[in-house]
Amino acid sequence: MAPCLILSTLLGSALFAGLGEVAVGRLWAEGGHRALVVAQSGAHVLTREENSALYGLARTPDGYLAVGHVGKALLQVGLDQKGEALWARVGGQGILWGTDGRFAWGGYPGPEGWEALALDLAGERAWRLPLPGQGYAYGGLYCQGVLFLVGRVEGAGGFDGFLLGLPLTHPSPPWAYGYRTAWPENDYLRFLGERGAVGRLEVQGDSEGLLLDWLGLRQGKAQLLRRPGFDYLRAWRGAFLVGEAEVAGVLEGLWVGPQGPRYGGGPMASLRALDPPFAYGYSYRSLFQGEGMLLNLGEYRGKPLAYRLEELQLPWLPLRSRPRALSLTWGPVGWNPKPALRPKACPPGPDPRRE
């Protein structure tokens, strides 16, 4: 496999999640965005005309489950082992940002604005979780009967990151408990995994990469990857972190691994998801219309980037939400059976493996 693959025949595409050589995202088409699946045979798009996208992907016994939205409705897509669509269905209101195959999470348009949303797919249960301001659940992890969610909620400086634990051993969970950052400037938690959570935090106008391990999530002790400009961590798996970094005024794909911090793929690139050694995102290198991008971080070395690592004690404040049960009805939706493209190697240029 080439160290870098790009959807060079589909301008206007972006990848938001991936596992191996299967990835999901969206494609710009006439009239709006269409949910996109990149399979071994090529790429497939949703046939329904409303704006749609896929943001999360997980392995299942049958293959994969992808989640997102179509119009104002929730979207689920079941894929086989090769990434071909087996079924797709829409239902309820809101947006799904992620899934582990058993649960899914995102946002629900409640009476006071956006709320966190959690779905138990196996038990066919769903809850909206009102917050003390508008917000989403971007990341989730199920552990010992509790679905932990991270995301953002409106705060004094714009948005605060939050962590909530929803106990699912109870048939009707009475409360979800956790914390919010209460930082005076904007900050988000975008991803939660076995090692902890990542996102971004503003310090005097600069956006810094934000990292909290599980001890930090309990105590509010964070680490910042600091340098001038805009930096954002999007995912953390194994020894790798990915996101985006501003270099000389241009956004580039960012990854941190055994070789240290590196960047590449720009201009206007971002790495949104990670399944080591693969990273998934997009680049605007061609005609400024966007192209989905897949990097093999074991081979694509990029260019080095210098950070300073600083510790930060967040003003961690208690947060709780009373879950409200939702009844969801799902209906089928169709996919284009003909693949729209095959991924191609990135355009020629200096060999990144020699950097």
Side-chain angles (χ1 to χ4, degrees), residues 206-270:
D206 274 346
S207 175
E208 316 289 3
L210 176 63
L211 186 152
L212 293 88
D213 60 19
W214 274 99
L215 180 61
L217 284 166
R218 292 192 294 270
Q219 299 180 354
K221 294 181 178 179
Q223 292 182 310
L224 295 182
L225 274 67
R226 298 203 64 182
R227 54 183 296 277
F230 183 91
D231 296 88
Y232 196 162
L233 296 177
R234 300 272 188 174
W236 183 14
R237 294 191 185 279
F240 287 93
L241 297 159
V242 297
E244 58 214 55
E246 183 183 350
V247 182
V250 175
L251 279 182
E252 301 273 1
L254 165 70
W255 63 98
V256 182
Q259 301 288 335
R262 316 286 292 190
Y263 74 92
M268 296 179 65
S270 176

Short mmCIF file of all heavy atoms in Angstrom, two decimals, residues 206-270:
data_model
loop_
_atom_site.label_atom_id
_atom_site.label_comp_id
_atom_site.label_asym_id
_atom_site.label_seq_id
_atom_site.Cartn_x
_atom_site.Cartn_y
_atom_site.Cartn_z
N ASP A 206 -4.14 31.57 21.44
CA ASP A 206 -3.58 30.41 20.75
C ASP A 206 -4.36 29.16 21.12
O ASP A 206 -4.73 28.97 22.28
CB ASP A 206 -2.10 30.21 21.14
CG ASP A 206 -1.16 31.03 20.27
OD1 ASP A 206 -1.61 31.52 19.23
OD2 ASP A 206 0.00 31.17 20.65
N SER A 207 -4.59 28.29 20.14
CA SER A 207 -5.22 27.00 20.39
C SER A 207 -4.13 25.96 20.58
O SER A 207 -3.30 25.74 19.70
CB SER A 207 -6.13 26.60 19.23
OG SER A 207 -6.65 25.30 19.42
N GLU A 208 -4.10 25.31 21.76
CA GLU A 208 -3.07 24.33 22.09
C GLU A 208 -3.68 22.93 22.10
O GLU A 208 -4.86 22.76 22.42
CB GLU A 208 -2.46 24.63 23.47
CG GLU A 208 -2.14 26.09 23.71
CD GLU A 208 -0.96 26.59 22.89
OE1 GLU A 208 -0.41 25.83 22.08
OE2 GLU A 208 -0.58 27.77 23.05
N GLY A 209 -2.87 21.92 21.77
CA GLY A 209 -3.32 20.55 21.87
C GLY A 209 -3.52 20.16 23.32
O GLY A 209 -2.64 20.38 24.17
N LEU A 210 -4.68 19.59 23.64
CA LEU A 210 -5.07 19.26 25.02
C LEU A 210 -5.12 17.75 25.18
O LEU A 210 -5.74 17.06 24.37
CB LEU A 210 -6.43 19.87 25.33
CG LEU A 210 -7.06 19.56 26.69
CD1 LEU A 210 -6.22 20.09 27.83
CD2 LEU A 210 -8.49 20.13 26.75
N LEU A 211 -4.48 17.24 26.23
CA LEU A 211 -4.40 15.80 26.46
C LEU A 211 -4.63 15.52 27.94
O LEU A 211 -3.97 16.11 28.79
CB LEU A 211 -3.04 15.29 26.00
CG LEU A 211 -2.76 13.79 26.02
CD1 LEU A 211 -1.72 13.44 24.95
CD2 LEU A 211 -2.24 13.34 27.39
N LEU A 212 -5.56 14.61 28.25
CA LEU A 212 -5.83 14.17 29.62
C LEU A 212 -5.84 12.64 29.64
O LEU A 212 -6.64 12.02 28.94
CB LEU A 212 -7.17 14.68 30.14
CG LEU A 212 -7.37 16.17 30.36
CD1 LEU A 212 -7.85 16.85 29.10
CD2 LEU A 212 -8.36 16.41 31.50
N ASP A 213 -4.96 12.03 30.44
CA ASP A 213 -5.06 10.60 30.65
C ASP A 213 -6.19 10.34 31.65
O ASP A 213 -6.84 11.27 32.14
CB ASP A 213 -3.73 10.00 31.09
CG ASP A 213 -3.22 10.59 32.40
OD1 ASP A 213 -4.02 11.18 33.17
OD2 ASP A 213 -2.01 10.47 32.67
N TRP A 214 -6.44 9.07 31.98
CA TRP A 214 -7.59 8.79 32.85
C TRP A 214 -7.42 9.37 34.24
O TRP A 214 -8.38 9.79 34.88
CB TRP A 214 -7.86 7.29 32.91
CG TRP A 214 -8.74 6.87 31.77
CD1 TRP A 214 -8.35 6.30 30.59
CD2 TRP A 214 -10.15 7.04 31.68
NE1 TRP A 214 -9.42 6.10 29.77
CE2 TRP A 214 -10.54 6.54 30.40
CE3 TRP A 214 -11.12 7.56 32.52
CZ2 TRP A 214 -11.88 6.55 29.98
CZ3 TRP A 214 -12.45 7.58 32.09
CH2 TRP A 214 -12.81 7.06 30.84
N LEU A 215 -6.18 9.42 34.76
CA LEU A 215 -5.96 10.08 36.04
C LEU A 215 -6.28 11.56 35.93
O LEU A 215 -6.91 12.15 36.81
CB LEU A 215 -4.51 9.88 36.49
CG LEU A 215 -4.13 10.53 37.84
CD1 LEU A 215 -4.97 9.95 38.97
CD2 LEU A 215 -2.64 10.35 38.12
N GLY A 216 -5.86 12.18 34.80
CA GLY A 216 -6.17 13.58 34.58
C GLY A 216 -7.66 13.84 34.45
O GLY A 216 -8.16 14.87 34.90
N LEU A 217 -8.40 12.90 33.86
CA LEU A 217 -9.84 13.05 33.74
C LEU A 217 -10.52 13.02 35.10
O LEU A 217 -11.57 13.63 35.29
CB LEU A 217 -10.42 11.95 32.84
CG LEU A 217 -10.18 12.14 31.34
CD1 LEU A 217 -10.47 10.86 30.58
CD2 LEU A 217 -11.03 13.28 30.81
N ARG A 218 -9.94 12.32 36.06
CA ARG A 218 -10.51 12.29 37.40
C ARG A 218 -10.10 13.50 38.24
O ARG A 218 -10.82 13.92 39.13
CB ARG A 218 -10.10 11.00 38.12
CG ARG A 218 -10.72 9.73 37.53
CD ARG A 218 -10.52 8.54 38.44
NE ARG A 218 -9.13 8.16 38.56
CZ ARG A 218 -8.52 7.29 37.77
NH1 ARG A 218 -9.20 6.71 36.78
NH2 ARG A 218 -7.26 6.97 37.95
N GLN A 219 -8.92 14.07 37.94
CA GLN A 219 -8.38 15.13 38.79
C GLN A 219 -8.24 16.48 38.09
O GLN A 219 -7.88 17.47 38.73
CB GLN A 219 -6.99 14.70 39.32
CG GLN A 219 -7.03 13.44 40.15
CD GLN A 219 -5.64 13.06 40.66
OE1 GLN A 219 -4.65 13.67 40.30
NE2 GLN A 219 -5.59 12.04 41.51
N GLY A 220 -8.54 16.55 36.80
CA GLY A 220 -8.43 17.81 36.09
C GLY A 220 -7.00 18.19 35.75
O GLY A 220 -6.73 19.36 35.43
N LYS A 221 -6.08 17.23 35.79
CA LYS A 221 -4.67 17.51 35.45
C LYS A 221 -4.45 17.20 33.98
O LYS A 221 -4.58 16.06 33.54
CB LYS A 221 -3.74 16.68 36.31
CG LYS A 221 -3.80 17.03 37.80
CD LYS A 221 -2.83 16.18 38.62
CE LYS A 221 -2.87 16.59 40.08
NZ LYS A 221 -1.93 15.75 40.90
N ALA A 222 -4.11 18.24 33.20
CA ALA A 222 -3.98 18.11 31.76
C ALA A 222 -2.56 18.38 31.33
O ALA A 222 -1.75 18.94 32.07
CB ALA A 222 -4.93 19.08 31.07
N GLN A 223 -2.26 17.99 30.10
CA GLN A 223 -1.01 18.33 29.45
C GLN A 223 -1.33 19.09 28.16
O GLN A 223 -2.27 18.74 27.45
CB GLN A 223 -0.19 17.08 29.13
CG GLN A 223 0.35 16.38 30.37
CD GLN A 223 1.20 15.18 30.02
OE1 GLN A 223 0.79 14.34 29.23
NE2 GLN A 223 2.37 15.10 30.60
N LEU A 224 -0.55 20.13 27.90
CA LEU A 224 -0.71 20.93 26.70
C LEU A 224 0.48 20.74 25.79
O LEU A 224 1.63 20.76 26.25
CB LEU A 224 -0.84 22.41 27.04
CG LEU A 224 -2.06 22.87 27.83
CD1 LEU A 224 -2.01 24.38 28.01
CD2 LEU A 224 -3.35 22.46 27.13
N LEU A 225 0.22 20.52 24.50
CA LEU A 225 1.25 20.58 23.47
C LEU A 225 1.23 22.00 22.92
O LEU A 225 0.33 22.37 22.17
CB LEU A 225 0.98 19.57 22.36
CG LEU A 225 1.50 18.14 22.57
CD1 LEU A 225 0.74 17.47 23.71
CD2 LEU A 225 1.36 17.33 21.29
N ARG A 226 2.24 22.81 23.32
CA ARG A 226 2.19 24.25 23.07
C ARG A 226 3.19 24.70 22.01
O ARG A 226 4.33 24.24 21.98
CB ARG A 226 2.45 25.02 24.37
CG ARG A 226 1.44 24.76 25.47
CD ARG A 226 1.42 25.89 26.45
NE ARG A 226 0.97 27.15 25.83
CZ ARG A 226 0.91 28.31 26.48
NH1 ARG A 226 1.26 28.38 27.76
NH2 ARG A 226 0.49 29.41 25.86
N ARG A 227 2.72 25.58 21.16
CA ARG A 227 3.52 26.29 20.19
C ARG A 227 2.65 27.41 19.64
O ARG A 227 1.43 27.38 19.79
CB ARG A 227 4.00 25.36 19.05
CG ARG A 227 2.88 24.62 18.36
CD ARG A 227 3.36 23.66 17.29
NE ARG A 227 4.00 24.36 16.20
CZ ARG A 227 3.34 24.93 15.19
NH1 ARG A 227 2.02 24.90 15.15
NH2 ARG A 227 3.99 25.53 14.22
N PRO A 228 3.23 28.45 19.01
CA PRO A 228 2.39 29.52 18.47
C PRO A 228 1.47 29.01 17.37
O PRO A 228 1.85 28.15 16.58
CB PRO A 228 3.42 30.53 17.92
CG PRO A 228 4.68 30.23 18.65
CD PRO A 228 4.66 28.74 18.89
N GLY A 229 0.26 29.57 17.32
CA GLY A 229 -0.67 29.20 16.26
C GLY A 229 -1.77 28.27 16.72
O GLY A 229 -2.00 28.08 17.91
N PHE A 230 -2.45 27.66 15.75
CA PHE A 230 -3.62 26.83 16.01
C PHE A 230 -3.22 25.35 16.00
O PHE A 230 -2.66 24.86 15.03
CB PHE A 230 -4.68 27.07 14.93
CG PHE A 230 -5.95 26.31 15.14
CD1 PHE A 230 -7.00 26.88 15.85
CD2 PHE A 230 -6.11 25.03 14.64
CE1 PHE A 230 -8.19 26.19 16.05
CE2 PHE A 230 -7.29 24.32 14.84
CZ PHE A 230 -8.33 24.91 15.56
N ASP A 231 -3.50 24.65 17.10
CA ASP A 231 -3.24 23.21 17.20
C ASP A 231 -4.45 22.53 17.82
O ASP A 231 -5.10 23.08 18.71
CB ASP A 231 -2.00 22.94 18.06
CG ASP A 231 -0.74 23.50 17.43
OD1 ASP A 231 -0.43 24.68 17.68
OD2 ASP A 231 -0.08 22.76 16.70
N TYR A 232 -4.76 21.32 17.35
CA TYR A 232 -5.98 20.63 17.77
C TYR A 232 -5.69 19.14 17.69
O TYR A 232 -5.30 18.63 16.64
CB TYR A 232 -7.11 21.01 16.80
CG TYR A 232 -8.52 20.71 17.22
CD1 TYR A 232 -9.59 21.36 16.60
CD2 TYR A 232 -8.84 19.77 18.21
CE1 TYR A 232 -10.90 21.10 16.93
CE2 TYR A 232 -10.14 19.52 18.56
CZ TYR A 232 -11.18 20.19 17.91
OH TYR A 232 -12.48 19.93 18.25
N LEU A 233 -5.90 18.42 18.81
CA LEU A 233 -5.75 16.97 18.82
C LEU A 233 -7.13 16.34 18.63
O LEU A 233 -8.08 16.70 19.32
CB LEU A 233 -5.13 16.50 20.14
CG LEU A 233 -3.70 16.99 20.40
CD1 LEU A 233 -3.23 16.52 21.77
CD2 LEU A 233 -2.75 16.52 19.31
N ARG A 234 -7.21 15.37 17.70
CA ARG A 234 -8.49 14.78 17.33
C ARG A 234 -8.67 13.33 17.77
O ARG A 234 -9.79 12.87 17.90
CB ARG A 234 -8.65 14.84 15.81
CG ARG A 234 -8.61 16.24 15.23
CD ARG A 234 -9.96 16.85 15.21
NE ARG A 234 -10.00 18.12 14.49
CZ ARG A 234 -11.10 18.79 14.24
NH1 ARG A 234 -12.26 18.31 14.64
NH2 ARG A 234 -11.06 19.95 13.60
N ALA A 235 -7.58 12.59 17.94
CA ALA A 235 -7.70 11.17 18.30
C ALA A 235 -6.40 10.71 18.95
O ALA A 235 -5.32 11.25 18.70
CB ALA A 235 -8.01 10.31 17.07
N TRP A 236 -6.50 9.66 19.79
CA TRP A 236 -5.36 9.12 20.54
C TRP A 236 -5.55 7.60 20.63
O TRP A 236 -6.45 7.12 21.31
CB TRP A 236 -5.33 9.74 21.93
CG TRP A 236 -4.17 9.34 22.79
CD1 TRP A 236 -3.03 8.70 22.42
CD2 TRP A 236 -4.06 9.58 24.19
NE1 TRP A 236 -2.19 8.53 23.49
CE2 TRP A 236 -2.81 9.07 24.59
CE3 TRP A 236 -4.88 10.17 25.15
CZ2 TRP A 236 -2.36 9.11 25.92
CZ3 TRP A 236 -4.45 10.23 26.46
CH2 TRP A 236 -3.20 9.72 26.84
N ARG A 237 -4.71 6.87 19.92
CA ARG A 237 -4.76 5.41 19.97
C ARG A 237 -3.34 4.87 20.01
O ARG A 237 -2.50 5.25 19.20
CB ARG A 237 -5.51 4.83 18.78
CG ARG A 237 -6.99 5.19 18.73
CD ARG A 237 -7.74 4.37 17.69
NE ARG A 237 -9.13 4.78 17.56
CZ ARG A 237 -10.12 4.40 18.36
NH1 ARG A 237 -9.86 3.59 19.38
NH2 ARG A 237 -11.36 4.82 18.15
N GLY A 238 -3.09 3.96 20.96
CA GLY A 238 -1.76 3.38 21.08
C GLY A 238 -0.73 4.47 21.30
O GLY A 238 -0.89 5.33 22.16
N ALA A 239 0.33 4.43 20.51
CA ALA A 239 1.43 5.39 20.66
C ALA A 239 1.24 6.63 19.80
O ALA A 239 2.16 7.46 19.72
CB ALA A 239 2.76 4.72 20.30
N PHE A 240 0.08 6.81 19.15
CA PHE A 240 -0.11 7.90 18.21
C PHE A 240 -1.20 8.87 18.65
O PHE A 240 -2.24 8.47 19.20
CB PHE A 240 -0.48 7.37 16.82
CG PHE A 240 0.65 6.73 16.08
CD1 PHE A 240 0.86 5.36 16.16
CD2 PHE A 240 1.52 7.49 15.31
CE1 PHE A 240 1.91 4.75 15.47
CE2 PHE A 240 2.57 6.90 14.62
CZ PHE A 240 2.76 5.53 14.71
N LEU A 241 -0.95 10.15 18.38
CA LEU A 241 -1.95 11.21 18.44
C LEU A 241 -2.06 11.81 17.04
O LEU A 241 -1.05 11.92 16.34
CB LEU A 241 -1.53 12.31 19.41
CG LEU A 241 -1.36 11.95 20.88
CD1 LEU A 241 -0.48 12.98 21.56
CD2 LEU A 241 -2.72 11.90 21.56
N VAL A 242 -3.27 12.25 16.63
CA VAL A 242 -3.41 12.95 15.36
C VAL A 242 -4.30 14.16 15.54
O VAL A 242 -5.07 14.25 16.49
CB VAL A 242 -3.99 12.04 14.24
CG1 VAL A 242 -3.07 10.89 13.94
CG2 VAL A 242 -5.39 11.56 14.60
N GLY A 243 -4.18 15.09 14.59
CA GLY A 243 -5.00 16.29 14.61
C GLY A 243 -4.58 17.23 13.51
O GLY A 243 -4.36 16.80 12.37
N GLU A 244 -4.44 18.51 13.85
CA GLU A 244 -4.03 19.50 12.87
C GLU A 244 -3.17 20.56 13.56
O GLU A 244 -3.30 20.79 14.77
CB GLU A 244 -5.24 20.15 12.20
CG GLU A 244 -6.18 20.82 13.17
CD GLU A 244 -7.64 20.73 12.75
OE1 GLU A 244 -8.12 19.59 12.53
OE2 GLU A 244 -8.27 21.78 12.65
N ALA A 245 -2.30 21.19 12.79
CA ALA A 245 -1.39 22.19 13.31
C ALA A 245 -1.20 23.29 12.28
O ALA A 245 -1.12 23.01 11.08
CB ALA A 245 -0.04 21.56 13.68
N GLU A 246 -1.12 24.52 12.75
CA GLU A 246 -0.84 25.65 11.88
C GLU A 246 0.67 25.83 11.76
O GLU A 246 1.36 26.05 12.76
CB GLU A 246 -1.48 26.91 12.44
CG GLU A 246 -1.30 28.14 11.57
CD GLU A 246 -1.89 29.38 12.20
OE1 GLU A 246 -2.61 29.25 13.22
OE2 GLU A 246 -1.61 30.48 11.69
N VAL A 247 1.18 25.72 10.54
CA VAL A 247 2.61 25.86 10.28
C VAL A 247 2.80 26.96 9.25
O VAL A 247 2.30 26.84 8.12
CB VAL A 247 3.23 24.54 9.77
CG1 VAL A 247 4.73 24.71 9.55
CG2 VAL A 247 2.95 23.40 10.75
N ALA A 248 3.50 28.03 9.63
CA ALA A 248 3.71 29.17 8.73
C ALA A 248 2.40 29.69 8.16
O ALA A 248 2.29 30.00 6.97
CB ALA A 248 4.69 28.80 7.61
N GLY A 249 1.36 29.73 9.00
CA GLY A 249 0.07 30.25 8.59
C GLY A 249 -0.81 29.31 7.82
O GLY A 249 -1.90 29.71 7.38
N VAL A 250 -0.38 28.04 7.65
CA VAL A 250 -1.13 27.05 6.87
C VAL A 250 -1.46 25.86 7.75
O VAL A 250 -0.59 25.35 8.46
CB VAL A 250 -0.32 26.59 5.64
CG1 VAL A 250 -1.04 25.48 4.90
CG2 VAL A 250 -0.05 27.76 4.71
N LEU A 251 -2.71 25.38 7.70
CA LEU A 251 -3.09 24.19 8.46
C LEU A 251 -2.53 22.94 7.79
O LEU A 251 -2.67 22.76 6.58
CB LEU A 251 -4.61 24.08 8.57
CG LEU A 251 -5.28 24.92 9.65
CD1 LEU A 251 -6.78 24.66 9.66
CD2 LEU A 251 -4.70 24.65 11.03
N GLU A 252 -1.92 22.08 8.61
CA GLU A 252 -1.34 20.83 8.14
C GLU A 252 -1.86 19.68 9.00
O GLU A 252 -2.26 19.87 10.14
CB GLU A 252 0.19 20.87 8.26
CG GLU A 252 0.87 21.97 7.48
CD GLU A 252 1.18 21.56 6.04
OE1 GLU A 252 0.85 20.42 5.67
OE2 GLU A 252 1.75 22.39 5.30
N GLY A 253 -1.86 18.47 8.43
CA GLY A 253 -2.14 17.29 9.22
C GLY A 253 -1.05 17.08 10.25
O GLY A 253 0.14 17.23 9.96
N LEU A 254 -1.43 16.76 11.49
CA LEU A 254 -0.49 16.59 12.60
C LEU A 254 -0.57 15.17 13.13
O LEU A 254 -1.66 14.63 13.29
CB LEU A 254 -0.84 17.57 13.72
CG LEU A 254 -0.21 17.32 15.09
CD1 LEU A 254 1.30 17.59 15.06
CD2 LEU A 254 -0.89 18.18 16.16
N TRP A 255 0.59 14.57 13.40
CA TRP A 255 0.62 13.32 14.15
C TRP A 255 1.82 13.29 15.07
O TRP A 255 2.87 13.86 14.78
CB TRP A 255 0.58 12.10 13.24
CG TRP A 255 1.74 11.92 12.30
CD1 TRP A 255 2.82 11.12 12.47
CD2 TRP A 255 1.92 12.54 11.01
NE1 TRP A 255 3.66 11.19 11.38
CE2 TRP A 255 3.12 12.06 10.48
CE3 TRP A 255 1.16 13.46 10.27
CZ2 TRP A 255 3.60 12.46 9.23
CZ3 TRP A 255 1.63 13.86 9.04
CH2 TRP A 255 2.84 13.36 8.53
N VAL A 256 1.64 12.65 16.21
CA VAL A 256 2.70 12.48 17.20
C VAL A 256 2.83 10.99 17.46
O VAL A 256 1.85 10.32 17.80
CB VAL A 256 2.38 13.22 18.51
CG1 VAL A 256 3.53 13.07 19.50
CG2 VAL A 256 2.07 14.69 18.25
N GLY A 257 4.03 10.44 17.25
CA GLY A 257 4.27 9.02 17.42
C GLY A 257 5.69 8.75 17.83
O GLY A 257 6.37 9.64 18.37
N PRO A 258 6.20 7.54 17.59
CA PRO A 258 7.57 7.20 17.98
C PRO A 258 8.62 8.12 17.37
O PRO A 258 9.70 8.29 17.95
CB PRO A 258 7.72 5.76 17.46
CG PRO A 258 6.32 5.22 17.44
CD PRO A 258 5.47 6.37 17.06
N GLN A 259 8.34 8.73 16.21
CA GLN A 259 9.28 9.65 15.58
C GLN A 259 9.14 11.07 16.11
O GLN A 259 9.84 11.98 15.65
CB GLN A 259 9.06 9.66 14.06
CG GLN A 259 9.22 8.31 13.39
CD GLN A 259 10.67 7.86 13.34
OE1 GLN A 259 11.57 8.68 13.37
NE2 GLN A 259 10.89 6.56 13.29
N GLY A 260 8.26 11.30 17.09
CA GLY A 260 8.01 12.63 17.58
C GLY A 260 6.92 13.33 16.79
O GLY A 260 6.30 12.75 15.90
N PRO A 261 6.67 14.63 17.06
CA PRO A 261 5.64 15.37 16.32
C PRO A 261 6.06 15.58 14.87
O PRO A 261 7.18 15.98 14.58
CB PRO A 261 5.55 16.70 17.07
CG PRO A 261 6.18 16.46 18.40
CD PRO A 261 7.23 15.42 18.17
N ARG A 262 5.11 15.33 13.94
CA ARG A 262 5.35 15.51 12.50
C ARG A 262 4.13 16.16 11.88
O ARG A 262 3.04 16.15 12.46
CB ARG A 262 5.59 14.16 11.81
CG ARG A 262 6.50 13.19 12.53
CD ARG A 262 7.95 13.57 12.46
NE ARG A 262 8.50 13.46 11.12
CZ ARG A 262 9.81 13.56 10.84
NH1 ARG A 262 10.68 13.78 11.82
NH2 ARG A 262 10.25 13.45 9.60
N TYR A 263 4.33 16.72 10.67
CA TYR A 263 3.20 17.30 9.97
C TYR A 263 3.34 17.04 8.48
O TYR A 263 4.43 16.76 7.97
CB TYR A 263 3.07 18.79 10.25
CG TYR A 263 4.09 19.66 9.55
CD1 TYR A 263 3.84 20.23 8.31
CD2 TYR A 263 5.33 19.93 10.14
CE1 TYR A 263 4.77 21.03 7.66
CE2 TYR A 263 6.27 20.74 9.51
CZ TYR A 263 5.99 21.28 8.28
OH TYR A 263 6.90 22.06 7.64
N GLY A 264 2.21 17.18 7.76
CA GLY A 264 2.21 17.01 6.31
C GLY A 264 0.80 17.00 5.77
O GLY A 264 -0.18 17.06 6.51
N GLY A 265 0.69 16.94 4.43
CA GLY A 265 -0.60 16.81 3.78
C GLY A 265 -1.27 18.10 3.39
O GLY A 265 -2.30 18.08 2.73
N GLY A 266 -0.72 19.26 3.81
CA GLY A 266 -1.38 20.53 3.55
C GLY A 266 -1.22 21.00 2.11
O GLY A 266 -0.58 20.33 1.30
N PRO A 267 -1.82 22.13 1.76
CA PRO A 267 -2.40 23.10 2.69
C PRO A 267 -3.83 22.76 3.11
O PRO A 267 -4.50 21.99 2.45
CB PRO A 267 -2.39 24.39 1.86
CG PRO A 267 -2.57 23.92 0.45
CD PRO A 267 -1.81 22.63 0.37
N MET A 268 -4.23 23.37 4.25
CA MET A 268 -5.57 23.19 4.81
C MET A 268 -5.87 21.71 4.97
O MET A 268 -6.88 21.20 4.47
CB MET A 268 -6.62 23.89 3.94
CG MET A 268 -6.48 25.40 3.90
SD MET A 268 -7.72 26.19 2.85
CE MET A 268 -9.22 25.81 3.74
N ALA A 269 -5.00 21.02 5.70
CA ALA A 269 -5.18 19.59 5.94
C ALA A 269 -5.52 19.35 7.41
O ALA A 269 -5.18 20.14 8.29
CB ALA A 269 -3.93 18.82 5.56
N SER A 270 -6.18 18.24 7.67
CA SER A 270 -6.50 17.82 9.03
C SER A 270 -6.57 16.30 9.06
O SER A 270 -7.07 15.69 8.12
CB SER A 270 -7.83 18.41 9.49
OG SER A 270 -8.20 17.93 10.78
#
